[in-house]
Amino acid sequence: MGHDHAQHDGHGHHHAPADFGRAFLIGLVLNVGFVAVEAVYGFSTGSTALLADAGHNLSDVLGLLVAWGGMILAKRAANHRFTYGYRGSTILAALFNALLLLVALGAIALEAVQRVLDPSPVAGATVSLVALAGIAVNGVTAWMFAHGRDHDINIRGAYLHMMADAAVSAGVVISGLLIVWTGKAVIDPLTSLAIVAYIFWGTWGLLRQSVAMSLSAVPPHIDLVRVEAELLASPGVAKVHDLHVWHMSTTETALTAHLVMPGGSPGDAFLADVQERLAHNHAIDHATIQIETGANCTQHSHGCA
Protein backbone atom coordinates (compact mmCIF):
# COMPACT_ATOMS: atom_id res chain seq x y z
CA MET A 1 0.00 0.00 0.00
CA GLY A 2 1.16 3.56 -0.62
CA HIS A 3 2.52 5.90 2.01
CA ASP A 4 1.26 9.44 2.57
CA HIS A 5 3.84 12.10 3.38
CA ALA A 6 3.01 15.53 4.71
CA GLN A 7 5.23 18.34 5.90
CA HIS A 8 3.93 21.31 7.85
CA ASP A 9 6.16 24.34 8.30
CA GLY A 10 4.55 25.94 11.30
CA HIS A 11 1.83 27.98 9.60
CA GLY A 12 0.61 30.39 12.22
CA HIS A 13 3.73 29.67 14.29
CA HIS A 14 6.42 31.69 12.51
CA HIS A 15 9.49 31.94 14.72
CA ALA A 16 11.75 34.18 12.65
CA PRO A 17 13.40 36.77 14.93
CA ALA A 18 11.94 40.26 15.02
CA ASP A 19 13.98 43.00 13.39
CA PHE A 20 16.36 44.19 16.10
CA GLY A 21 18.99 45.29 13.58
CA ARG A 22 19.33 48.79 15.01
CA ALA A 23 19.57 47.49 18.59
CA PHE A 24 22.28 45.02 17.57
CA LEU A 25 24.24 47.73 15.75
CA ILE A 26 24.11 50.18 18.67
CA GLY A 27 24.92 47.42 21.14
CA LEU A 28 27.92 46.31 19.09
CA VAL A 29 29.29 49.85 18.77
CA LEU A 30 28.91 50.50 22.50
CA ASN A 31 30.45 47.18 23.52
CA VAL A 32 33.35 47.28 21.05
CA GLY A 33 34.19 50.80 22.24
CA PHE A 34 34.00 49.73 25.86
CA VAL A 35 36.16 46.63 25.27
CA ALA A 36 38.84 48.91 23.82
CA VAL A 37 38.62 51.27 26.81
CA GLU A 38 38.77 48.39 29.31
CA ALA A 39 41.73 46.79 27.55
CA VAL A 40 43.69 50.08 27.49
CA TYR A 41 43.04 50.83 31.16
CA GLY A 42 43.54 47.19 32.12
CA PHE A 43 47.05 47.18 30.66
CA SER A 44 47.92 50.69 31.88
CA THR A 45 46.75 50.06 35.45
CA GLY A 46 47.91 46.44 35.58
CA SER A 47 44.38 45.24 36.40
CA THR A 48 43.72 41.63 35.43
CA ALA A 49 40.13 42.12 36.65
CA LEU A 50 39.59 44.76 33.97
CA LEU A 51 41.29 42.56 31.38
CA ALA A 52 39.10 39.61 32.40
CA ASP A 53 35.98 41.75 32.09
CA ALA A 54 37.23 43.03 28.71
CA GLY A 55 37.62 39.43 27.54
CA HIS A 56 34.11 38.66 28.72
CA ASN A 57 32.69 41.69 26.93
CA LEU A 58 34.58 40.71 23.77
CA SER A 59 32.88 37.33 23.90
CA ASP A 60 29.57 39.15 24.23
CA VAL A 61 30.38 41.15 21.10
CA LEU A 62 30.79 37.81 19.31
CA GLY A 63 27.56 36.64 20.89
CA LEU A 64 25.73 39.71 19.61
CA LEU A 65 27.20 39.11 16.15
CA VAL A 66 26.00 35.49 16.24
CA ALA A 67 22.50 36.51 17.30
CA TRP A 68 22.39 39.22 14.64
CA GLY A 69 23.71 36.79 12.04
CA GLY A 70 21.04 34.30 13.03
CA MET A 71 18.37 36.95 12.62
CA ILE A 72 19.64 37.76 9.11
CA LEU A 73 20.11 34.12 8.07
CA ALA A 74 16.62 33.22 9.27
CA LYS A 75 15.26 35.52 6.55
CA ARG A 76 17.13 33.77 3.75
CA ALA A 77 15.10 31.36 1.70
CA ALA A 78 15.94 27.67 1.47
CA ASN A 79 17.41 26.39 -1.77
CA HIS A 80 18.04 23.05 -3.51
CA ARG A 81 21.29 22.54 -1.61
CA PHE A 82 20.32 23.93 1.79
CA THR A 83 16.73 22.78 2.04
CA TYR A 84 16.36 24.09 5.61
CA GLY A 85 18.05 27.35 4.71
CA TYR A 86 21.04 28.49 6.78
CA ARG A 87 19.51 28.22 10.25
CA GLY A 88 22.08 25.66 11.48
CA SER A 89 24.94 28.13 11.09
CA THR A 90 23.94 29.71 14.41
CA ILE A 91 24.71 26.37 16.12
CA LEU A 92 28.17 26.19 14.53
CA ALA A 93 28.87 29.81 15.49
CA ALA A 94 27.88 29.15 19.12
CA LEU A 95 30.19 26.13 19.21
CA PHE A 96 33.08 28.15 17.77
CA ASN A 97 32.53 31.03 20.21
CA ALA A 98 32.44 28.67 23.19
CA LEU A 99 35.76 27.06 22.21
CA LEU A 100 37.38 30.45 21.52
CA LEU A 101 36.21 31.82 24.85
CA LEU A 102 37.59 28.81 26.77
CA VAL A 103 41.04 29.49 25.29
CA ALA A 104 40.80 33.16 26.27
CA LEU A 105 39.73 32.24 29.80
CA GLY A 106 42.75 29.95 30.15
CA ALA A 107 45.10 32.80 29.24
CA ILE A 108 43.40 35.20 31.66
CA ALA A 109 43.45 32.65 34.50
CA LEU A 110 47.17 31.98 33.96
CA GLU A 111 47.96 35.69 34.15
CA ALA A 112 45.81 36.10 37.26
CA VAL A 113 47.54 33.22 39.07
CA GLN A 114 50.90 34.80 38.30
CA ARG A 115 49.64 38.10 39.73
CA VAL A 116 48.40 36.34 42.89
CA LEU A 117 51.88 34.88 43.41
CA ASP A 118 53.56 38.21 42.63
CA PRO A 119 51.07 41.09 43.17
CA SER A 120 51.77 44.44 41.55
CA PRO A 121 50.24 47.85 42.35
CA VAL A 122 46.78 48.51 40.91
CA ALA A 123 45.01 51.87 40.53
CA GLY A 124 41.85 50.89 42.36
CA ALA A 125 39.98 54.16 41.75
CA THR A 126 40.61 54.00 38.00
CA VAL A 127 39.52 50.37 37.86
CA SER A 128 36.26 51.23 39.62
CA LEU A 129 35.49 54.16 37.33
CA VAL A 130 36.09 52.14 34.15
CA ALA A 131 33.97 49.25 35.42
CA LEU A 132 31.25 51.71 36.44
CA ALA A 133 31.08 52.79 32.81
CA GLY A 134 30.65 49.11 31.96
CA ILE A 135 27.52 48.92 34.08
CA ALA A 136 26.08 51.83 32.07
CA VAL A 137 27.05 50.35 28.66
CA ASN A 138 25.69 46.89 29.44
CA GLY A 139 22.59 48.30 31.10
CA VAL A 140 21.71 50.43 28.05
CA THR A 141 22.32 47.47 25.71
CA ALA A 142 20.13 45.20 27.83
CA TRP A 143 17.37 47.82 27.88
CA MET A 144 17.27 47.88 24.04
CA PHE A 145 16.51 44.14 23.99
CA ALA A 146 14.17 44.15 26.98
CA HIS A 147 10.88 44.46 25.10
CA GLY A 148 11.65 41.44 22.88
CA ARG A 149 12.97 39.03 25.49
CA ASP A 150 9.62 37.29 26.02
CA HIS A 151 9.04 36.53 22.33
CA ASP A 152 12.42 35.45 20.94
CA ILE A 153 14.94 33.21 22.70
CA ASN A 154 17.84 34.79 20.80
CA ILE A 155 16.83 38.25 22.00
CA ARG A 156 16.30 36.88 25.50
CA GLY A 157 19.81 35.44 25.43
CA ALA A 158 21.31 38.78 24.40
CA TYR A 159 19.31 40.55 27.13
CA LEU A 160 20.38 38.14 29.87
CA HIS A 161 24.00 38.24 28.69
CA MET A 162 24.09 42.03 28.96
CA MET A 163 22.45 41.96 32.39
CA ALA A 164 25.04 39.41 33.55
CA ASP A 165 27.81 41.67 32.23
CA ALA A 166 26.44 44.55 34.26
CA ALA A 167 26.66 42.33 37.34
CA VAL A 168 30.26 41.35 36.54
CA SER A 169 31.21 45.00 36.07
CA ALA A 170 29.64 45.71 39.46
CA GLY A 171 31.98 43.07 40.93
CA VAL A 172 34.98 44.85 39.40
CA VAL A 173 33.79 48.16 40.87
CA ILE A 174 33.68 46.58 44.31
CA SER A 175 37.15 45.11 43.75
CA GLY A 176 38.58 48.54 42.90
CA LEU A 177 36.99 50.14 45.95
CA LEU A 178 38.34 47.37 48.21
CA ILE A 179 41.84 47.98 46.84
CA VAL A 180 41.53 51.70 47.60
CA TRP A 181 40.25 50.89 51.08
CA THR A 182 42.66 48.10 52.03
CA GLY A 183 45.65 48.78 49.75
CA LYS A 184 45.86 45.06 48.95
CA ALA A 185 46.60 44.65 45.22
CA VAL A 186 46.05 40.88 45.44
CA ILE A 187 42.29 41.57 45.52
CA ASP A 188 42.41 42.40 41.79
CA PRO A 189 43.73 39.06 40.46
CA LEU A 190 41.52 37.18 42.93
CA THR A 191 38.53 39.07 41.52
CA SER A 192 39.62 38.22 37.99
CA LEU A 193 39.78 34.52 38.93
CA ALA A 194 36.25 34.76 40.33
CA ILE A 195 35.10 36.38 37.08
CA VAL A 196 36.82 33.65 35.05
CA ALA A 197 35.06 30.97 37.13
CA TYR A 198 31.70 32.69 36.62
CA ILE A 199 32.20 33.00 32.86
CA PHE A 200 33.53 29.43 32.60
CA TRP A 201 30.35 28.09 34.18
CA GLY A 202 28.19 29.77 31.54
CA THR A 203 30.62 28.93 28.72
CA TRP A 204 30.72 25.25 29.65
CA GLY A 205 26.93 25.15 29.49
CA LEU A 206 27.03 26.86 26.08
CA LEU A 207 29.63 24.37 24.85
CA ARG A 208 27.62 21.35 26.01
CA GLN A 209 24.42 22.71 24.50
CA SER A 210 26.00 23.62 21.15
CA VAL A 211 27.69 20.19 20.90
CA ALA A 212 24.35 18.51 21.67
CA MET A 213 22.67 20.61 18.98
CA SER A 214 25.41 19.75 16.49
CA LEU A 215 24.78 16.05 17.16
CA SER A 216 21.01 16.51 16.59
CA ALA A 217 20.16 15.64 20.20
CA VAL A 218 16.58 15.97 21.39
CA PRO A 219 16.18 19.57 22.66
CA PRO A 220 16.17 19.74 26.48
CA HIS A 221 12.71 21.33 26.56
CA ILE A 222 11.22 18.38 24.63
CA ASP A 223 9.90 15.33 26.49
CA LEU A 224 10.12 12.62 23.83
CA VAL A 225 7.86 10.26 25.82
CA ARG A 226 5.13 12.90 25.94
CA VAL A 227 5.53 13.65 22.24
CA GLU A 228 5.12 9.95 21.39
CA ALA A 229 2.10 9.73 23.69
CA GLU A 230 0.62 12.78 21.93
CA LEU A 231 0.97 11.08 18.56
CA LEU A 232 -0.37 7.74 19.83
CA ALA A 233 -3.44 9.48 21.24
CA SER A 234 -4.40 10.64 17.73
CA PRO A 235 -7.50 8.85 16.36
CA GLY A 236 -6.63 5.80 14.27
CA VAL A 237 -2.92 5.64 15.23
CA ALA A 238 -1.85 2.14 16.31
CA LYS A 239 1.91 2.66 16.55
CA VAL A 240 4.59 5.33 16.30
CA HIS A 241 8.12 4.60 15.09
CA ASP A 242 11.15 6.35 13.63
CA LEU A 243 10.41 9.35 15.84
CA HIS A 244 13.14 12.01 15.67
CA VAL A 245 13.24 15.50 17.18
CA TRP A 246 16.19 17.87 16.80
CA HIS A 247 17.25 21.51 16.61
CA MET A 248 17.15 23.08 13.14
CA SER A 249 18.75 26.17 14.65
CA THR A 250 19.21 27.65 18.10
CA THR A 251 15.54 28.71 18.03
CA GLU A 252 13.65 26.18 15.88
CA THR A 253 12.81 22.51 16.37
CA ALA A 254 11.96 19.86 13.77
CA LEU A 255 10.27 16.45 14.02
CA THR A 256 9.87 13.44 11.73
CA ALA A 257 7.74 10.42 12.59
CA HIS A 258 6.01 7.42 11.03
CA LEU A 259 2.44 6.78 12.18
CA VAL A 260 1.02 3.31 11.61
CA MET A 261 -2.70 3.70 10.83
CA PRO A 262 -4.34 0.42 9.68
CA GLY A 263 -7.32 2.33 8.33
CA GLY A 264 -5.17 4.47 6.06
CA SER A 265 -4.64 8.20 5.98
CA PRO A 266 -7.64 10.21 7.23
CA GLY A 267 -6.60 13.22 5.12
CA ASP A 268 -5.02 16.64 5.40
CA ALA A 269 -7.24 17.81 8.27
CA PHE A 270 -5.78 15.07 10.48
CA LEU A 271 -2.20 16.04 9.58
CA ALA A 272 -2.92 19.71 10.21
CA ASP A 273 -4.36 18.85 13.63
CA VAL A 274 -1.27 16.79 14.56
CA GLN A 275 1.03 19.61 13.50
CA GLU A 276 -1.00 22.16 15.45
CA ARG A 277 -0.87 20.07 18.63
CA LEU A 278 2.86 19.49 18.29
CA ALA A 279 3.45 23.21 17.86
CA HIS A 280 1.13 24.26 20.68
CA ASN A 281 1.96 21.58 23.26
CA HIS A 282 5.64 20.94 22.53
CA ALA A 283 6.94 24.01 20.65
CA ILE A 284 7.86 21.89 17.61
CA ASP A 285 7.95 24.23 14.62
CA HIS A 286 8.44 21.87 11.68
CA ALA A 287 6.79 18.44 11.62
CA THR A 288 7.02 15.85 8.85
CA ILE A 289 4.62 12.91 9.24
CA GLN A 290 4.52 9.68 7.23
CA ILE A 291 1.32 7.60 7.34
CA GLU A 292 1.60 3.80 6.96
CA THR A 293 -1.02 1.05 7.13
CA GLY A 294 1.47 -1.39 8.66
CA ALA A 295 1.15 -3.90 5.84
CA ASN A 296 4.68 -3.53 4.50
CA CYS A 297 6.32 -0.85 6.60
CA THR A 298 9.06 -3.22 7.79
CA GLN A 299 10.48 -3.21 4.28
CA HIS A 300 11.36 0.45 4.51
CA SER A 301 11.61 1.44 8.16
CA HIS A 302 12.94 0.44 11.55
CA GLY A 303 10.82 -0.40 14.54
CA CYS A 304 7.41 -0.86 12.92
CA ALA A 305 7.29 -4.62 13.31
Side-chain angles (χ1 to χ4, degrees), residues 117-136:
L117 298 176
D118 184 21
S120 55
V122 175
T126 302
V127 169
S128 292
L129 287 174
V130 174
L132 195 62
I135 296 176

Side-chain angles (χ1 to χ4, degrees), residues 111-162:
E111 176 67 18
V113 169
Q114 292 174 345
R115 292 294 183 92
V116 169
L117 298 176
D118 184 21
S120 55
V122 175
T126 302
V127 169
S128 292
L129 287 174
V130 174
L132 195 62
I135 296 176
V137 169
N138 291 316
V140 168
T141 305
W143 172 77
M144 290 189 296
F145 294 113
H147 71 280
R149 68 185 187 276
D150 294 329
H151 309 290
D152 187 322
I153 194 170
N154 265 342
I155 300 302
R156 189 186 312 157
Y159 169 80
L160 292 176
H161 228 111
M162 293 300 109

Side-chain angles (χ1 to χ4, degrees), residues 3 17 41 51 67 77 90-91 106 169 188 204-205 224 288 294:
H3 302 312
Y41 278 96
L51 292 176
T90 57
I91 297 174
S169 293
D188 179 80
W204 183 251
L224 202 61
T288 302

Side-chain angles (χ1 to χ4, degrees), residues 3 42 50 63 67 71-72 75 86 94 111 113 127 135 140 147 153 163 182 196 198 209 241 251 277 282-283:
H3 302 312
L50 274 181
M71 181 189 72
I72 295 172
K75 298 177 182 179
Y86 299 86
E111 176 67 18
V113 169
V127 169
I135 296 176
V140 168
H147 71 280
I153 194 170
M163 290 299 292
T182 65
V196 165
Y198 168 79
Q209 186 177 7
H241 66 94
T251 59
R277 285 188 283 115
H282 305 281

Side-chain angles (χ1 to χ4, degrees), residues 137-297:
V137 169
N138 291 316
V140 168
T141 305
W143 172 77
M144 290 189 296
F145 294 113
H147 71 280
R149 68 185 187 276
D150 294 329
H151 309 290
D152 187 322
I153 194 170
N154 265 342
I155 300 302
R156 189 186 312 157
Y159 169 80
L160 292 176
H161 228 111
M162 293 300 109
M163 290 299 292
D165 290 345
V168 171
S169 293
V172 177
V173 170
I174 295 172
S175 167
L177 292 176
L178 287 174
I179 292 173
V180 172
W181 183 38
T182 65
K184 296 184 181 297
V186 73
I187 292 175
D188 179 80
L190 289 176
T191 300
S192 70
L193 285 174
I195 293 173
V196 165
Y198 168 79
I199 301 170
F200 176 81
W201 181 257
T203 303
W204 183 251
L206 174 63
L207 179 62
R208 291 181 59 186
Q209 186 177 7
S210 57
V211 167
M213 287 183 178
S214 300
L215 295 175
S216 298
V218 175
H221 67 279
I222 299 291
D223 185 335
L224 202 61
V225 174
R226 287 186 58 211
V227 172
E228 183 174 6
E230 180 93 40
L231 295 173
L232 276 172
S234 303
V237 176
K239 188 176 180 64
V240 177
H241 66 94
D242 287 315
L243 174 60
H244 303 282
V245 183
W246 72 97
H247 274 289
M248 293 174 57
S249 71
T250 53
T251 59
E252 295 176 282
T253 306
L255 171 147
T256 60
H258 293 208
L259 306 185
V260 179
M261 305 183 70
S265 174
D268 290 346
F270 168 83
L271 295 170
D273 175 68
V274 170
Q275 185 277 332
E276 184 68 25
R277 285 188 283 115
L278 290 173
H280 183 268
N281 298 335
H282 305 281
I284 294 174
D285 310 295
H286 300 261
T288 302
I289 305 297
Q290 177 173 317
I291 305 299
E292 299 169 346
T293 63
N296 64 346
C297 66

